[in-house]
Amino acid sequence: MAVPVVDPERYESQLDAKRERITAQFARFSPPPLEVFPSPPRHYRQRCEFRIWHDGDDLFYAMFEVDPADPKRKTVIRLDEYPVAGERINALMPVLREALLASDTLRRKLFQVEFLTTLSGEALVTLIYHRQLDEAWEQEARALQEALNVSIIGRARKQRLVLERDHVWERLNVEGREFVYQQVENSFTQPNAAICRSMLGWARDVTCESRDGDLVEFYCGNGNFTIALAENFRRVVATEISRTSVASANVNLEANGVANAVVARMSAEEFSEALAGEKSGRRVAAMALDEHAFTTALVDPPRAGLDTHSCEQLKAYSRIVYISCNPNTLEANLESLSATHVVTRFALFDQFPYTDHCECGVLLERRETPAHA
């Protein structure tokens, strides 16, 4: 993968190209005009990971560029700064490097550094090694943690040393409301906080008239959408397969005072079976699905999109909010969903500027008369 070249002067033109591409790709679904949400043109990622490249007595942050003609050939790209990353990460990069250069204990067999930061400046740094970590490492890492005002985690094979805590707290202001999110190291969070705010605001807007119904949510992660949308519905039932994310989602529900939402650990396939009455058990009973009147479904699937069975099940809901990180699988899913639903809102979120990646949001509402297959 090529390292993005950050050039604020060409940001608008690259965004226009994405707008034209997405508009053309989905034209046959007759969506309304595309709503486009731009990213900050620089310093937009709140989390990044870098390889550490050792060159004699020197070391530096590195990424790799793969030769398209020969994928086995990679070029090492030295990074003394990274304009893609947030300002806090860029401020930490040189001082952390200097500290590593000055300590044989901290630098020895270090091969990767991961940063997780927030808009308010909290920072978590994970140092990953090809050796086991000992008391000497922990002593120097604790001193470094204090000097840099960060939290540090050390990782090695079958080893994870959390010196203070394994998470940061992100605070996102959306439509005058502040939502707080515990974001845990090594678990999924939205990398572009500004775009995350736009996504939450858009999702709140398209569901603002849903207070007489309940929301069912698949792939809820750490409760990113669950928390922001809860007040738009009577009740919310959300599921996620990752144990870490479910635990974090429940912490976030409590931190935001959300009392009308339940997050359960269950795969999308299992949840679909439970909704269809094909699965029972303690976890299913705890969700009390029979007591809900689900009018809206929210899905935020992985890049592979939704399987055929999930698409068929979604057709049972009056409204579908589909957040997609892959326009191609979204397009394929809309082929099925458009038989019963029509696209009434359509958005492009520029999560990853200067790349081909596009994040989309679609609101589908049930047709009065189903379209012919």
Side-chain angles (χ1 to χ4, degrees):
M1 176 183 289
V3 178
V5 177
V6 173
D7 181 1
E9 291 187 1
R10 71 178 182 92
Y11 178 75
E12 289 299 329
S13 62
Q14 71 94 33
L15 185 57
D16 285 342
K18 289 183 178 181
R19 177 191 288 110
E20 292 174 6
R21 174 162 62 89
I22 294 299
T23 298
Q25 182 174 358
F26 291 88
R28 71 180 184 282
F29 300 109
S30 301
L34 185 66
E35 304 166 63
V36 179
F37 294 88
S39 168
R42 58 189 289 123
H43 299 314
Y44 44 85
R45 281 192 66 112
Q46 301 304 313
R47 57 181 173 89
C48 289
E49 60 183 50
F50 304 99
R51 286 291 299 274
I52 294 297
W53 197 258
H54 296 260
D55 184 9
D57 292 333
D58 193 15
L59 61 78
F60 53 85
Y61 304 100
M63 286 187 173
F64 300 96
E65 226 164 58
V66 178
D67 184 344
D70 183 2
K72 294 183 179 180
R73 292 186 58 187
K74 298 180 181 179
T75 302
V76 178
I77 307 296
R78 176 172 178 150
L79 298 170
D80 292 317
E81 62 176 2
Y82 192 48
V84 166
E87 292 181 358
R88 179 76 162 119
I89 294 175
N90 276 278
L92 283 170
M93 288 174 68
V95 291
L96 176 61
R97 175 176 171 269
E98 288 300 319
L100 295 172
L101 284 169
S103 169
D104 288 338
T105 299
L106 293 177
R107 65 182 286 174
R108 183 166 63 87
K109 294 194 175 181
L110 173 68
F111 78 94
Q112 187 161 305
V113 173
E114 299 175 356
F115 295 94
L116 175 61
T117 64
T118 71
L119 292 175
S120 62
E122 287 189 30
L124 176 63
V125 178
T126 302
L127 305 175
I128 306 176
Y129 292 83
H130 281 312
R131 68 177 177 91
Q132 292 297 290
L133 305 178
D134 54 19
E135 290 184 8
W137 178 89
E138 183 172 344
Q139 183 177 350
E140 292 206 26
R142 287 191 180 279
L144 177 62
Q145 179 176 256
E146 184 174 352
L148 299 186
N149 189 27
V150 301
S151 297
I152 288 180
I153 294 176
R155 282 186 176 273
R157 181 178 173 84
K158 296 183 179 180
Q159 192 177 23
R160 179 174 183 258
L161 297 180
V162 180
L163 301 189
E164 182 178 4
R165 59 178 181 170
D166 67 350
H167 61 274
V168 295
W169 284 96
E170 181 61 280
R171 300 178 181 273
L172 299 178
N173 190 288
V174 181
E175 300 175 341
R177 290 285 309 278
E178 184 180 75
F179 300 106
V180 297
Y181 295 95
Q182 181 198 67
Q183 299 185 338
V184 178
E185 182 255 1
N186 207 35
S187 66
F188 177 78
T189 56
Q190 297 288 345
N192 187 326
I195 285 296
C196 185
R197 285 190 301 202
S198 295
M199 294 168 70
L200 295 179
W202 181 84
R204 282 168 59 86
D205 184 46
V206 302
T207 60
C208 66
E209 298 178 356
S210 306
R211 288 183 175 84
D212 60 342
D214 299 328
L215 172 67
V216 59
E217 181 182 359
F218 298 77
Y219 309 100
C220 75
N222 71 342
N224 187 51
F225 287 100
T226 319
I227 287 155
L229 298 185
E231 67 181 8
N232 282 0
F233 296 88
R234 291 186 310 177
R235 289 174 295 187
V236 181
V237 175
T239 59
E240 166 63 43
I241 188 60
S242 165
R243 190 183 302 275
T244 301
S245 293
V246 169
S248 191
N250 283 312
V251 168
N252 290 334
L253 290 178
E254 183 176 357
N256 288 274
V258 176
N260 66 330
V262 174
V263 175
R265 182 171 178 262
M266 192 174 290
S267 71
E269 293 76 17
E270 288 179 309
F271 192 30
S272 293
E273 292 173 0
L275 288 166
E278 299 168 358
K279 181 179 178 61
S280 59
R282 180 180 52 82
R283 287 184 299 163
V284 175
M287 290 188 284
L289 297 176
D290 291 342
E291 299 176 11
H292 291 73
F294 295 118
T295 56
T296 305
L298 186 147
V299 292
D300 184 7
R303 290 188 59 80
L306 301 171
D307 59 35
T308 301
H309 178 72
S310 296
C311 279
E312 287 302 313
Q313 186 155 38
L314 284 182
K315 294 176 182 179
Y317 304 106
S318 298
R319 313 176 92 207
I320 304 165
V321 181
Y322 192 137
I323 307 296
S324 170
C325 61
N326 185 346
N328 295 331
T329 53
L330 171 62
E331 181 184 10
N333 288 159
L334 288 184
E335 290 280 6
S336 173
L337 296 173
S338 61
T340 53
H341 289 66
V342 61
V343 177
T344 56
R345 295 282 293 271
F346 190 28
L348 165 63
F349 305 101
D350 195 18
Q351 179 93 256
F352 300 100
Y354 314 107
T355 72
D356 291 334
H357 183 99
C358 290
E359 197 107 355
C360 294
V362 177
L363 173 67
L364 297 115
E365 299 186 83
R366 184 183 288 131
R367 298 176 182 271
E368 293 183 8
T369 304
H372 294 294

